[in-house]
Amino acid sequence: MNGTGPIRVIPLGGLGEIGLNCLVLEYAEAAILIDCGLMFPEHYMLGIDRVIPDFSYLTELGDRLRGIVITHGHEDHIGALPYVLRQVEVPIYAPPMAAGLVREKLREHKLLDSSRLEVFRPGEEWSLGPFRIDPIHMTHSIVDAVALAVNTPMGTVLHTGDFKLDQTPIDGRASDLARLAEYGSQGVLLLLSDSTNVEQEGHTPTERSVRGGLDAVFREARGKVFFSTFSSHIHRVRQVVELSQAYGRKIAIVGRSFESSLKIATELGHLPVIPGLFVDPDDVSDLPAGGVTLLTSGSQGEALSALTRISMDDHKVKMLPGDSVILSSKFIPGNERVIMGMVNHMVRRGAVVYHQECAPVHVSGHASQEELKLMMRLTRPRYFVPIHGEYRHLVRHCALACEVGLGPENTFVVEDGHVLEIDPQGARIAGQVTAGRVFVDGKGIGDVADIVLRDRRHLSQDGFVLAVIGINQQTGDVVSGPDLVSRGLAVEEDVQLYLEEARGLILETLQQVARESRTDSLEVQEEVRKTLKRYFSKTLERRPVILPFIMEM
Amino acid sequence: MNGTGPIRVIPLGGLGEIGLNCLVLEYAEAAILIDCGLMFPEHYMLGIDRVIPDFSYLTELGDRLRGIVITHGHEDHIGALPYVLRQVEVPIYAPPMAAGLVREKLREHKLLDSSRLEVFRPGEEWSLGPFRIDPIHMTHSIVDAVALAVNTPMGTVLHTGDFKLDQTPIDGRASDLARLAEYGSQGVLLLLSDSTNVEQEGHTPTERSVRGGLDAVFREARGKVFFSTFSSHIHRVRQVVELSQAYGRKIAIVGRSFESSLKIATELGHLPVIPGLFVDPDDVSDLPAGGVTLLTSGSQGEALSALTRISMDDHKVKMLPGDSVILSSKFIPGNERVIMGMVNHMVRRGAVVYHQECAPVHVSGHASQEELKLMMRLTRPRYFVPIHGEYRHLVRHCALACEVGLGPENTFVVEDGHVLEIDPQGARIAGQVTAGRVFVDGKGIGDVADIVLRDRRHLSQDGFVLAVIGINQQTGDVVSGPDLVSRGLAVEEDVQLYLEEARGLILETLQQVARESRTDSLEVQEEVRKTLKRYFSKTLERRPVILPFIMEM
C-alpha cells in the first residue's frame, strides 16, 4: 500500500437485487463505473418496460468520471448504457462480444455516432487516470467475459464480473486462474465477487455437461427440433450447431435477437462458418422435418417472441406432432407460469418439450459455493464485498468468506448507495449517496414514481368510476348529471343498474347538503367521493378509483 | 357389466389446470359431483379474489344431482362449495377432517343452517341413487383423504382423489392397497387418477423423511423457531409438535387458519392433547427464545399473513437475530419472487431461513411416476382418464398408462366440459357442456368478464386520461373546458405540462371540425379520443385509457 487513499466503492445497483449491476470505484479525484445494467420489472411494477439505476451520483461526479468498463455483454451489465449516456459523456470500454452487442444497442438508440466505444482483450492493460485496469479472462454463459483487476496506488481491487470456473469450456479457454493467483501472491486489497449462485452447494457443472442431454434429444428426434436459449449464449448455440451437423440437420434462425448475436459471434470467430448449413426460415417447409433445427428466441415465454407465437400456431413456422422443443435456459423466477402455459400449448401442437424440470438441457453460468471459495483462496483478499445478489445472497456470501478464513471484520454487506471506504487505517461503510431504481416506461425515464404505480395498482384492482356533475354556482342546484361512467369495475350490463342506483344516492346526498356548501366544488367532490366509495364497498365489495368531476355553471 | 349405461364423466374443472377440481358422474337419470374446488387467480387476473368453476351444467341437471362427495379438505377440492350451494340444493358428503373445514367455511358464509353436511369414514359405503359409494383411505398431505370407488350397474369408476402411496405415514395408516387390489380383481371400468406430479420420476418420499431435516433445524436452533406450512397439513404439524416437546419448546399459534385447523384436527384425535404445551403468543416474550416454537401462517408470502408482517417487523411477535424460520411447503409457481422477498426481510432481521431450495424440510403429497404406475397395476382399469393437471400433465399421464400396458384407444385426454361416455359398446368423447372459469371479485360472482379484465390490464399499464368538454348544442362552441385529468400516467408535475399542451391540441382540432359536427357529441368524442391517443403515443410512448366526456349545454 503506497497511496494514502481512500479508495471508495459505491454500488449503484446489483447489491440488493439480481440485475441492475453498476458500481463506482473512486480513487483520489478520479472514478470509473464498472458495468451499467438494467433489470426487468417485477410484477408489481405495472406498465414499466425496464428498470435502470438512479444515476444522480454520476452527475455529481462530473468530470471525475473517466469511463465505463464492461465485464461482459449481458443485459444486466450493459442494458442501461443508452440511458446513462444521456447524462454523462465518457468512453465505454468493453471486451469484443460485449462491444458488438453494445454497438447494436447504441445504434438502435441513435447514440452510436456521439459515443466512444473502445474494445479491450484479456491481458491488454490500460490506464484511466490513477487506475491501471487489467482484464482477466473468465468463463461464463457468454463468450468474452472478464474479471477486472483494477490497480491503484492503494492496492488492487479485483472485480470478478459474472463467472463460473469451468475447467472444460467449449472453446478450451478456461478462466485465467494463473493470473488470479498471481494477484493473490502480490496481494489483493479488495475482492468483489459474484453472489448469484451462493446458495448452491458444490460446483456448477461444466457447459460441456449439457452435451449429453442435448445429444439425447437430437438422437431421438424424428421431426423438427426447436431450440431456444438466451441469444448471446454462444457456446450453447455452438453445441447445437455441431449436433445439427452431426445429425444432418440444416439450421434456420427465427428471431431478430438470435440473428444479431450470431452475426457478431461469427465475425469474432466464436462460431465456425459452415457453408450451406444455415437456411432461410421460409425454406424450412421444403426440407424433411427430420432435417431441420430451428434456433428460436423466446425461452422465457415472452409474449411477442417467435416461440410463444409458434406455440399458439400464430407464425409462418409450424410446430407439428413429432417435433421436439428444447428450452435450454433457467426459468427466471416469476416466469414459471407463463413458460408452463407456453409448454401446454406446445404439447397441444403434439410436440415433446424438454426443459430444466425434466431433462439435463441447461447448466448455470454462475459459480457455486466451492468455486466461490476457490476464488477467495486464489486471490487471498484483505477485504471482501459480495456483489450481484439480493440481500440474503450477500449475507450468505459473507458467511462463506468467513468459512475460508476471512475475519468477519473484513467482510462487508454493502448495499446500493452505500459508500465503502478503504484507507491505510482500514475499511468501513462511510456514508451514503443517492441510489435506487428508476422506471423506464415508453419514452419516459423516471417520470413514473411510486405514487403513479400505486394509482395503476389501484386501477388494476377494481377499475374506476367517474361522476360528472354540473352545478349552478349561484343556486347550488344540480343542473346537469350526475353522469356516471365506469371502466374495469364489472361487466357493462351488470354495472348499469348499480350506476343508476348510485346516481340516485348522489342526488339524495346533495339534497341533504346545505345550499352554500353545494356551491363549493371541493365540498361537493368530497361528498360524492364518500357516497360512491361507501356504496360500491357495500354492494360489490369493490374499491374502484373514484373521480368526481364538478362543473361550475 | 350388467347395466346398459351409459356412464357419463364430465369434468367441470381441474382437467386443464391445477386447482378447481370438480367432476360430474352420471348414470341413468342420476348424477353426483365429486369435489368442488377453487383456484387462486393468476397474475393476469387483475383484482380477482378467487376463481371457481362455471356451474351452469349443474343447474341443467336440476333434480338429477343427488349430492356432492368430497375426497379431502384442501381448498382446491372444497373451496367453491359456498358458491355452488347458491345454485343447487343437495347434501354434501365429506370425510371427518374435510367436514370440519367445510363446516367452518359454511359458517363464515352463513350457509351452515341451510345446508346438509354428512360425514363418512373409509369403508362405510352408502348409496346415492344408482351409485354405491365406497370411500377408500389414501395418504396425502392432509389427514382423512380418500379415493372413491363409485359402483354402478355398469361397473366401477375409481376416483383416486389426491394421493401418494406413503408406506410409512406419520399415523401408521397407509393407503388401503388391499381394497384397491380387490377392486382390481373384480374389474374396474374406469380409473380417474391424480396427475399433479406425473412429471416426477421415481417415488415421492414418505412424509416421515422430512423428520431428519426438521430435527436438524431444531437441534441447531438457539433462538425462536418460526414454523410455517399449509395450516391443514396436520402430519407436518404433528412432527413439529413432537420435536418441540423433545427439545423443550412451548408452542404458540400465530394465524387464524392454523388455530381453526388444529382445533378440528385435535377434536378428531389427529393431534395429541398435551397439557401446558401450547401458550398464548402474548406470553412468548416471557419465555427464553430457545424455548419457543411459533406456528405461523403465511408460507407463500401472502401479503397480510402473520409471517410476512413479522418479517417486516410489523407484528407484536418479533423476529430477532439468532431465530430460525422453516418454510415447510412447496413454493407455488408464480409466488417465488414474493416468497424470496419475504426471505430477504427475514435475513435482514438476522434470522436463518430454511426452505425447499436449501434444506430437506418439505416433501410433496402427490404420487410420482412409480406410484402412478402402481395405482394402474393394482386397479387394472379397462379405461383410463388422467385428472388434476394442466394439459401437458394429462398427456404425460396417458403416455404412462400406455407404458404399463393400457391401449392408447382406452386412455383419454379429457378436458373441462368434455363428456366422456362409456357404454357396453365402448368409450368415447361424446360432446361438450358449458364449462369454464368464473371470477369472484368481492361480492360479485361472474360479473368480471374478460372484457373487464382487459380494461383493468389496460388501466394498469398506463392509467387513464379524462377530458371533459362542455359544448353549446346550438352553436357547437366549446363553452367549458376541455378540462383534463389523469391518473397512473406519470407523476403530477411532469404530466401537467403535457395535459396543458394536449388541451391546446384538442381546441385546435375542434376548430378544424365543421360546426354541425361539433354539435354531435359522438363525433366530438371520437375526435378528442384520436387526438389524445396520438399525442400521448408520440410524446410519452404511452397508451392510457382515454375517456372523452362531452356535456351538451
Side-chain angles (χ1 to χ4, degrees), chain B residues 226-238:
Chain B
F226 291 85
F227 179 85
S228 193
T229 187
F230 285 110
S231 61
S232 62
H233 201 331
I234 303 304
H235 283 164
R236 192 67 51 84
V237 171
R238 180 161 152 189

Side-chain angles (χ1 to χ4, degrees), chain A residues 196-256:
Chain A
T196 311
N197 267 7
V198 69
E199 294 180 321
Q200 300 299 316
E201 289 184 2
H203 202 289
T204 304
T206 168
E207 172 62 23
R208 217 170 270 269
S209 69
V210 295
R211 184 57 163 262
L214 298 178
D215 189 275
V217 179
F218 274 85
R219 202 169 51 233
E220 296 295 324
R222 294 291 162 268
K224 299 192 287 299
V225 174
F226 290 85
F227 179 86
S228 194
T229 186
F230 285 109
S231 61
S232 62
H233 201 330
I234 303 305
H235 284 163
R236 191 67 52 84
V237 171
R238 181 161 153 188
Q239 301 201 62
V240 170
V241 168
E242 289 168 2
L243 283 166
S244 296
Q245 267 198 297
Y247 286 96
R249 288 175 181 265
K250 301 284 187 190
I251 302 174
I253 300 174
V254 186
R256 209 169 54 89

Side-chain angles (χ1 to χ4, degrees), chain A residues 161-180:
Chain A
D162 282 351
F163 76 101
K164 68 196 265 191
L165 298 178
D166 191 339
Q167 311 306 349
T168 54
I170 298 301
D171 60 2
R173 295 178 62 214
S175 299
D176 191 348
L177 303 180
R179 192 77 184 123
L180 293 172

Side-chain angles (χ1 to χ4, degrees), chain B residues 264-441:
Chain B
I264 297 167
T266 306
E267 282 166 12
L268 293 171
H270 291 299
L271 282 175
V273 180
I274 303 161
L277 183 65
F278 285 87
V279 297
D280 194 279
D282 288 330
D283 300 337
V284 162
S285 51
D286 300 336
L287 295 167
V292 180
T293 303
L294 292 123
L295 294 184
T296 321
S297 54
S299 60
Q300 294 298 318
E302 297 92 334
L304 297 174
S305 69
L307 205 53
T308 296
R309 288 175 48 216
I310 291 171
S311 79
M312 300 178 82
D313 200 18
D314 175 29
H315 196 280
K316 64 181 174 185
V317 173
K318 296 300 170 195
M319 189 173 283
L320 298 169
D323 287 348
S324 306
V325 183
I326 307 174
L327 302 181
S328 184
S329 55
K330 180 184 152 83
F331 295 174
I332 293 179
N335 292 356
E336 292 87 347
R337 282 175 96 150
V338 174
I339 297 173
M340 281 309 180
M342 178 174 76
V343 171
N344 282 323
H345 283 295
M346 291 168 167
V347 172
R348 212 176 269 280
R349 300 270 91 73
V352 180
V353 188
Y354 303 86
H355 53 77
Q356 62 166 29
E357 306 285 305
C358 66
V361 293
H362 176 67
V363 290
S364 171
H366 295 275
S368 302
Q369 290 177 2
E370 291 308 315
E371 292 152 276
L372 295 173
K373 288 190 265 186
L374 181 55
M375 174 60 78
M376 299 188 232
R377 288 288 188 195
L378 278 172
T379 57
R380 300 158 65 193
R382 181 176 311 172
Y383 301 112
F384 175 71
V385 170
I387 58 174
H388 306 172
E390 298 179 13
Y391 191 81
R392 67 180 192 283
H393 298 111
L394 307 181
V395 170
R396 186 76 192 80
H397 206 171
C398 280
L400 209 64
C402 295
E403 284 179 37
V404 297
L406 270 98
E409 69 285 4
N410 291 336
T411 67
F412 296 86
V413 174
V414 179
E415 295 182 78
D416 296 344
H418 287 179
V419 178
L420 180 81
E421 215 167 74
I422 307 179
D423 60 23
Q425 282 70 52
R428 70 206 71 84
I429 290 175
Q432 200 146 1
V433 305
T434 305
R437 301 173 183 183
V438 171
F439 299 140
V440 181
D441 177 5

